[in-house]
Every structure is written in C-alpha cells, then in structure tokens.
C-alpha cells in the first residue's frame, strides 16, 4: 500500500509540474506573440528575431527548472547569458544604426522658406525694373510643385503686394503636385504651377465637372541620375524603358558593373512619376517594392546618393530641382541618347526628355488670374523664368 501511495504522490507531483510548465509556457507564448506582433508591425526585424530567441530560451529555462534537469545556479547563469547576448546584440544594432545615419549622405526636402517672396534673404530672383503688372486685391490663390516654387515665388515677388506669404500656409503655397491638382479641382486654389497632369488627375477633374486649362510658361528637362560612383555616364531612352519595365535588371547590361539595378520611383500623381509613365510609351511600368517608392523629390535624390546604394541605384527628377535646389554632389545626371541635360540642350531641343511646365487653371472666377498669366508670358515674366534657371517659352529672352 505504501508503494502505491508513493507512486500516486509521485504521479501527482509530475502532473503538477507539467501543469505549471504548460501554464508558464502559455504565458511566455502570449507575451512573445504580442511582442512579436508589435516589433513586426513597427518593422523592427532584428527585435522580432530577439523576441523569438528570448521566448524559446525562457520556455527551455522553465522546463529545465521545473523538472530539476539543471541546478538553479547553472540554469540561471544560462538564461542570464542568453539575455545578455540579446541585449548586446540590440545595443550593437542601435550603435550601427546611429553610425549608419551619421555617414549616410541623406538630405531632407528643400526648405522652401529659403525662396519665400519678400523675405530679406530670399533666393527668389528679382526683376531689374518695376513690374508692369501690380496686383493689390483679389490675389489669385496659388499652389504648385515643389520644384517650381522658386519660380512662382519670383512671380509673386514682382507682382503681389509686399507681405508675408508662408510657403505652407498663405495665398502662395507649395503642397506638391498631387495636392496642388487636388486643391485646384476642389476650388481651393485659383492657379497652380506644375507639370502636365496624370491620367488619374484628368479623370478626377472630369468626375468633378472641371476642365483643366494648361498654359505653357517654360520648359524643363526630365533627368535620370545615378550615384556619382557608378561608372555609367549615359543611357538610351530604350534602356531607361527596359530598366523601369523590369527587363533590364543588371548594370552590366547597359555598360556598367555586374550589380543589380535598384530603380527608385515616386508616388502616383507626382510630376516626375507622371513624366516617367509618359516616357514608358505604353510599356508596362514595373511595380517596385514599397521601400523603393520615395515620397519626396529630395528623398529620391538622397536615396540614390547614399553610400549603401552607390553600386546599383537610379532615380529621376527635374534638372533645376536636382542641380540648383538640392545640389547633392553624390549623384550624377545621365546623358540620354547621347545628350547631356543642360539649359542649352533644353533650349535647342536636342535633349530628348525636355517638356513644358504649365500655369494650370480650372473654372476660376478670379478676375486677376488671366492678367497674371498674360504677364508671366510677357518679356518680364519670361525673364524671371530664365533667371530662375528654367528655359523660357520665348527662347530669345535675355537675362537682365
């Protein structure tokens, strides 16, 4: 009887240990699952791996301790070493990230306040003489592309009354091309300055019963660039189409080194993304990974300029923004079909990817909009186009 009782007591203790193990393991799994979900949601892949490692280590520790398979001192030291290694890994990762950020040639979006009209230190160019047009009231509400803000800030500085026009909160704003078209179609802007609209923007205007009127006011080059360390100096239009359709995937196919091509893109509706879509001429545009879609126009330059991307990156923008507003020496503009994008090749038509940019209206009732556009097309307005760094519609305009 004593043997049976002892056997029952032993079995009961084993069952108690099993239940304790299962309870603790369940708690660890729940905590681990929640932590794993949070780290994955935040994109912290290393920390997700550490969560998995720590969870398995804790479950093993629980089994060994509950069943007495290892002495308490050895088990405690073992789990302590695992936790210490995980902590050191996390610390080393954060130190590397900080170092990486410190040497990465990142450049934020341009601060448009540098071109704010009437600001004492503004970079917006000025007329040499008094403007032939002066507006005092019923000022057109303006919006537009980031790259064109320095130009229309110069227009405003010549024509509008002197006061503060904040670039993000005033009658003269720059909310990027997609938002500018949205504001124009919704009637929240009277006039925008931008590249031609995308098919989606045209469809949105039609759905809202709005007809967009585009008036060319200047020309600019759509440019492609690579990291300055990339040996490729130029591409053909067909090669660009091949890269962005996904049929050309390695730089050696276009005269470069044996490196995978990482082709950055912009969000749908941005001026430069629309220019790329038109360049594809009906060829399918590949869908890039989400991390290869860069929101800001300055961002796509910074990503291409990064030392980590020097072997394989290619991006696109407009010449003035890339060369004058950002001035990142770690990228190099590419010749297209053997012609380098310069103001001279834009003006004489030899650069193949030059196109007009526009003053765009949509059913505005503001009486000064037409007067303002007429003045922009006058010698004074066109001289500001040229002095800013763009190519005027009237190619014979000379700088003051």
């Amino acid at each position: 009887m004593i043997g049976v009782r002892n056997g029952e007591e032993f079995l009961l203790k084993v069952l108690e240990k099993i239940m304790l193990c299962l309870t603790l393991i369940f708690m660890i799994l729940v905590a681990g699952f929640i932590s794993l979900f949070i780290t994955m949601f935040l994109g912290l892949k290393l920390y997700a791996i550490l969560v998995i490692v720590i969870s398995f280590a804790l479950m093993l520790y629980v089994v060994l301790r509950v069943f007495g398979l290892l002495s308490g001192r050895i088990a405690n030291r073992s789990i302590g070493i695992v936790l210490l290694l995980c902590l050191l890994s996390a610390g080393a990762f954060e130190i590397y990230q900080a170092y990486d950020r410190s040497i990465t040639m990142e450049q934020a979006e341009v601060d448009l306040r540098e071109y704010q009209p009437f600001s004492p230190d503004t970079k917006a160019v000025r007329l040499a003489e008094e403007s032939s047009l002066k507006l005092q009231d019923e000022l057109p509400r303006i919006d537009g592309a980031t790259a064109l803000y320095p130009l229309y800030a110069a227009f405003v500085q010549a024509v509008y009354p002197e006061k503060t026009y904040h670039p993000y909160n005033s009658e003269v704003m720059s909310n990027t091309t997609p938002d500018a078209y949205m504001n124009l179609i919704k009637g929240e802007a009277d006039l925008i300055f931008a590249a031609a609209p995308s098919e989606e923007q045209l469809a949105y205007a039609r759905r809202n019963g709005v007809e967009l009127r585009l008036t060319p006011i200047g020309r600019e080059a759509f440019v492609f660039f690579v990291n300055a360390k990339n040996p490729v100096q130029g591409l053909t239009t067909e090669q660009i189409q091949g890269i962005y359709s996904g049929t050309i995937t390695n730089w050696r196919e276009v005269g470069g080194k044996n490196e995978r091509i990482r082709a950055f893109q912009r969000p749908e509706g941005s001026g430069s993304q629309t220019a790329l879509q038109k360049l594809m001429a009906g060829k399918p545009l590949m869908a890039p990974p989400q991390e290869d879609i860069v929101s800001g126009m300055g961002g796509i330059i910074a990503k291409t300029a990064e030392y980590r991307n020097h072997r394989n990156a290619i991006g696109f923008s407009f010449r003035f923004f890339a060369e004058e507003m950002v001035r990142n020496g770690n990228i190099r503009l590419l010749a297209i079909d053997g012609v380098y994008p310069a103001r001279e090749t834009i003006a004489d038509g030899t650069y193949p990817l030059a196109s007009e940019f526009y003053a765009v209206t949509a059913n505005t009732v503001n009486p000064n909009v037409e007067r303002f556009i007429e003045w922009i097309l006058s010698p004074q307005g066109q001289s500001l186009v040229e002095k800013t760094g763009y190519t005027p519609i009237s190619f014979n305009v000379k700088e003051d």
Side-chain angles (χ1 to χ4, degrees):
M1 293 295 294
I2 295 175
V4 172
R5 188 179 301 111
N6 289 339
E8 290 176 347
E9 290 176 355
F10 174 77
L11 181 60
L12 183 61
K13 288 181 180 180
V14 170
L15 290 174
E16 287 176 350
K17 289 181 179 181
I18 291 174
M19 290 303 297
L20 177 60
C21 256
L22 291 175
T23 301
L24 293 174
I25 288 173
F26 176 76
M27 294 172 63
I28 293 170
L29 285 173
V30 171
F33 177 78
I34 294 172
S35 301
L36 183 63
F37 176 80
I38 293 173
T39 53
M40 291 297 291
F41 178 77
L42 296 176
L44 304 174
K45 294 181 180 179
L46 173 68
Y47 289 99
I49 294 172
L50 293 181
V51 166
I52 295 172
V53 171
I54 292 172
S55 297
F56 276 106
L58 288 174
M59 287 188 287
L60 181 61
Y61 173 78
V62 164
V63 172
L64 295 176
R65 289 290 287 121
V66 169
F67 288 97
L69 300 177
L70 281 179
S71 67
R73 178 178 297 179
I74 294 176
N76 291 339
R77 284 181 178 177
S78 298
I79 192 65
I81 291 172
V82 171
L83 294 176
L84 179 61
L85 289 173
C86 290
L87 181 63
L88 290 175
S89 298
F93 175 75
E94 291 298 332
I95 292 172
Y96 170 77
Q97 289 289 91
Y99 169 75
D100 183 54
R101 287 191 293 268
S102 70
I103 63 174
T104 296
M105 304 305 295
E106 290 280 4
Q107 184 158 348
E109 290 297 301
V110 172
D111 185 356
L112 295 184
R113 289 173 294 185
E114 295 179 354
Y115 297 89
Q116 185 172 322
F118 301 112
S119 174
D121 300 320
T122 184
K123 293 181 179 179
V125 300
R126 300 177 185 272
L127 282 177
E129 74 281 347
E130 191 74 9
S131 172
S132 60
L133 175 66
K134 287 290 186 181
L135 301 178
Q136 296 300 327
D137 51 22
E138 294 190 274
L139 302 176
R141 297 166 299 167
I142 300 177
D143 205 340
T146 302
L148 291 175
Y149 179 78
L151 176 58
Y152 62 86
F155 294 158
V156 167
Q157 192 165 248
V159 174
Y160 278 38
E162 182 172 351
K163 65 175 185 177
T164 300
Y165 298 96
H166 195 281
Y168 307 110
N169 184 26
S170 72
E171 303 100 318
V172 184
M173 298 188 296
S174 178
N175 288 307
T176 73
T177 298
D179 288 339
Y181 270 106
M182 182 75 70
N183 289 337
L184 180 69
I185 294 167
K186 290 163 59 179
E188 295 175 4
D190 299 306
L191 170 66
I192 69 170
F193 295 91
S198 66
E199 290 301 321
E200 289 76 12
Q201 287 157 347
L202 288 171
Y204 181 72
R206 287 192 295 269
R207 288 197 302 271
N208 285 270
V210 171
E211 182 179 356
L212 299 179
R213 179 186 173 192
L214 282 65
T215 303
I217 62 168
R219 289 175 59 81
E220 176 60 320
F222 181 48
V223 299
F224 289 84
F225 46 79
V226 294
N227 190 284
K229 295 182 179 179
N230 190 319
V232 173
Q233 301 290 322
L235 295 168
T236 66
T237 301
E238 289 75 16
Q239 287 171 334
I240 293 287
Q241 293 170 339
I243 288 171
Y244 278 93
S245 65
T247 58
I248 296 177
T249 59
N250 195 295
W251 282 110
R252 67 181 174 184
E253 298 177 64
V254 291
K257 294 183 177 180
N258 183 18
E259 300 287 351
R260 178 183 67 86
I261 297 175
R262 184 178 187 183
F264 288 108
Q265 294 189 41
R266 295 286 319 287
E268 186 72 30
S270 66
S272 55
Q273 185 71 13
T274 299
L276 175 65
Q277 291 166 344
K278 292 180 179 178
L279 173 64
M280 295 303 290
K283 295 181 176 62
L285 180 61
M286 67 176 178
Q290 188 61 39
E291 61 268 22
D292 287 357
I293 301 176
V294 188
S295 59
M297 206 151 61
I300 197 170
I301 293 174
K303 286 291 186 182
T304 307
E306 283 183 16
Y307 78 96
R308 291 175 298 184
N309 295 327
H310 73 270
R311 293 185 178 90
N312 55 8
I314 183 172
F316 52 83
S317 182
F318 293 103
R319 185 202 61 83
F320 176 79
F321 185 87
E323 286 200 327
E324 301 297 332
M325 294 179 72
V326 174
R327 295 178 179 270
N328 192 319
N330 293 292
I331 63 167
R332 182 177 61 255
L333 303 190
L334 296 175
I336 303 296
D337 296 335
V339 182
Y340 186 81
R343 293 179 68 177
E344 297 75 19
T345 58
I346 301 170
D348 64 22
T350 56
Y351 182 71
L353 304 185
S355 60
E356 286 79 18
F357 54 87
Y358 303 90
V360 189
T361 59
N363 303 346
T364 181
V365 295
N366 187 302
N368 286 322
V369 168
E370 285 305 313
R371 296 175 62 202
F372 191 28
I373 293 176
E374 288 175 6
W375 177 85
I376 290 170
L377 295 174
S378 74
Q380 284 189 334
Q382 290 293 289
S383 72
L384 289 180
V385 173
E386 186 169 52
K387 290 177 71 173
T388 298
Y390 289 102
T391 302
I393 290 295
S394 305
F395 295 141
N396 60 346
V397 172
K398 299 298 181 184
E399 291 190 22
D400 296 324

